[in-house]
Amino acid sequence: MVVLGIESTAHTASVGIVGEGAQVLGLASDMYRPPHGGIHPREAANHHVELLPDLVTRALDAAHVRPTEIEAVAFAQGPGLGPCLRAGATVARMLSLVWERPLVPVNHCVAHVEIARVLSGLDDPILLYASGGNTQVIAYARGRYRVLGETLDIGVGNFLDKLWIGLGGTFPGGPALEAEARQGSGEILPLPYSVHGMDVAFSGMLTATLAHHAKGVARPDLAYSVEVTAYSMLTEITERALAHRQRGAVVLGGGVACNERLRTMVRTMVEGRGGSMFAPPRSLCVDNGAMIAWTGLLAFRSGGTVPVEASAVEPRQRTDLVATPWRAG
Ligand code: ATP
Ligand code: FE2
């Protein structure tokens, strides 16, 4: 079966077309980049409204698929920025009505997890989902994904983005800080290491790093210290989850999983315990329509369709509040 998925929860508008086994047949994306500062939801939503129709056409063309071959239309229902979510949902509803195909709502976080899991080939790994708005250590149990640990304040990606903007850069900060950190001298500055049981926090590190900056510490040294400290925190809570659950495999997902240092640190930890680590290709770590289409395909098969009138977006929908009946067997 072939499913079209629409992603529009935050900065990225994306349309993916996916077939059996998560084969990505077509993917067309465009990221909204504010000229300065953070993302303004209304401006990002305007970007999505303008671009989504063309992205649908481009994804169909890339996939060499006609609209009549699409069997379901999936969209990211939440969590995310309200205006951005509504832009994608509106396009999905319209396609569902015009093409007379069922509409499938998908949780954005579960989609990050499912695309990473299917590509890993691992059946039941511990998942480290590290992205802009979210930072969660996740495992499946009894009908849904359970959050074993998470950020108590901001997502690690939002932390990197805010920090980079505070250092004079533009969104997104994560990739820029990764490049900057490679130029670091190797010195690690003292920064708050905030691990609380299975949870982490980043706002103290943001304040402390900006204070080092105000005292004249060079950006590469700040970037290196932040990467080492923040990714050590994530590696620690992932290791604790592995130890408790006695599972040998870890799968990374979300935009921050693009980061080479994070990948290496988690891989070193997992392999040291005799397990294995998998991270998807970077185009499928960041927000993309293919992960929505793939999770939509799974949900569709377990009856997860909704009528248009019951398809309202849910900006605060949590990972552990959505049922995942396709995993039950
Ligand atoms: P969420 O999934 O929580 O809703 P999101 O949808 O905004 O968040 P994603 O596209 O999944 O985010 O991830 C974007 C984030 O990933 C940004 O914060 C960006 O800075 C970060 N990021 C992207 N590439 C890298 C990298 N190489 N190193 C570190 N962070 C990165
Ligand atoms: Fe995301």
Side-chain angles (χ1 to χ4, degrees):
M1 89 175 283
V2 178
V3 174
L4 179 141
I6 298 181
E7 160 60 34
S8 73
T9 58
H11 40 74
T12 298
S14 177
V15 178
I17 298 173
V18 163
E20 299 296 337
Q23 195 191 351
V24 180
L25 304 171
L27 179 60
S29 307
D30 197 286
M31 187 200 259
Y32 169 69
R33 292 169 189 269
H36 47 78
I39 295 169
H40 189 289
R42 175 48 54 203
E43 284 166 13
N46 288 344
H47 164 270
H48 301 346
V49 168
E50 268 174 39
L51 287 174
L52 276 170
D54 186 47
L55 294 172
V56 171
T57 309
R58 279 170 47 196
L60 286 167
D61 288 349
H64 302 295
V65 159
R66 290 185 303 278
T68 48
E69 295 170 77
I70 302 287
E71 286 164 80
V73 178
F75 70 102
Q77 186 177 35
L81 305 171
C84 297
L85 287 168
R86 282 189 285 279
T90 303
V91 174
R93 288 179 198 120
M94 189 203 69
L95 293 178
S96 157
L97 291 171
V98 172
W99 292 346
E100 300 180 341
R101 290 293 182 271
L103 187 63
V104 185
V106 166
N107 177 280
H108 175 89
C109 310
V110 170
H112 273 295
V113 160
E114 286 299 0
I115 194 74
R117 190 173 69 92
V118 66
L119 296 174
S120 75
L122 297 162
D123 187 41
D124 195 20
I126 295 286
L127 300 131
L128 172 60
Y129 163 42
S131 64
N134 290 281
T135 303
Q136 300 180 331
V137 177
I138 296 169
Y140 172 80
R142 288 169 283 109
R144 53 191 70 197
Y145 283 104
R146 311 284 167 167
V147 178
L148 305 180
E150 65 185 316
T151 178
L152 298 173
D153 47 26
I154 51 177
V156 60
N158 282 1
F159 157 63
L160 299 171
D161 297 335
K162 280 176 198 268
L163 175 62
W164 187 240
I165 290 166
L167 296 177
T170 55
F171 174 88
L177 281 163
E178 177 164 33
E180 196 84 10
R182 286 202 202 98
Q183 317 300 321
S185 65
E187 187 195 346
I188 301 175
L189 300 159
L191 292 172
Y193 182 95
S194 299
V195 173
H196 309 273
M198 285 297 297
D199 297 325
V200 287
F202 295 103
S203 53
M205 204 188 316
L206 176 60
T207 309
T209 313
L210 291 173
H212 281 301
H213 175 58
K215 287 186 198 140
V217 178
R219 276 202 326 201
D221 289 336
L222 295 173
Y224 178 72
S225 304
V226 159
E227 284 209 335
V228 169
T229 309
Y231 300 153
S232 296
M233 288 161 50
L234 299 184
T235 306
E236 178 183 334
I237 60 169
T238 307
E239 177 164 28
R240 191 165 299 129
L242 266 184
H244 278 296
R245 307 278 301 208
Q246 297 177 336
R247 287 182 200 185
V250 171
V251 168
L252 302 188
V256 183
C258 290
N259 187 278
E260 200 55 52
R261 191 181 314 278
L262 177 63
R263 290 177 179 222
T264 304
M265 288 171 76
V266 175
R267 182 181 294 112
T268 304
M269 178 276 288
V270 179
E271 290 179 356
R273 302 181 62 89
S276 59
M277 191 286 280
F278 175 84
R282 288 173 176 73
S283 60
L284 298 176
C285 285
V286 294
D287 288 355
N288 66 86
M291 69 183 192
I292 305 298
W294 169 241
T295 311
L297 189 153
L298 295 172
F300 175 74
R301 285 215 180 113
S302 359
T305 64
V306 285
V308 165
E309 54 277 18
S311 65
V313 300
E314 295 191 24
R316 298 188 176 278
Q317 189 181 62
R318 272 184 61 87
T319 310
D320 44 9
L321 286 181
V322 294
T324 58
W326 59 88
R327 288 224 44 186

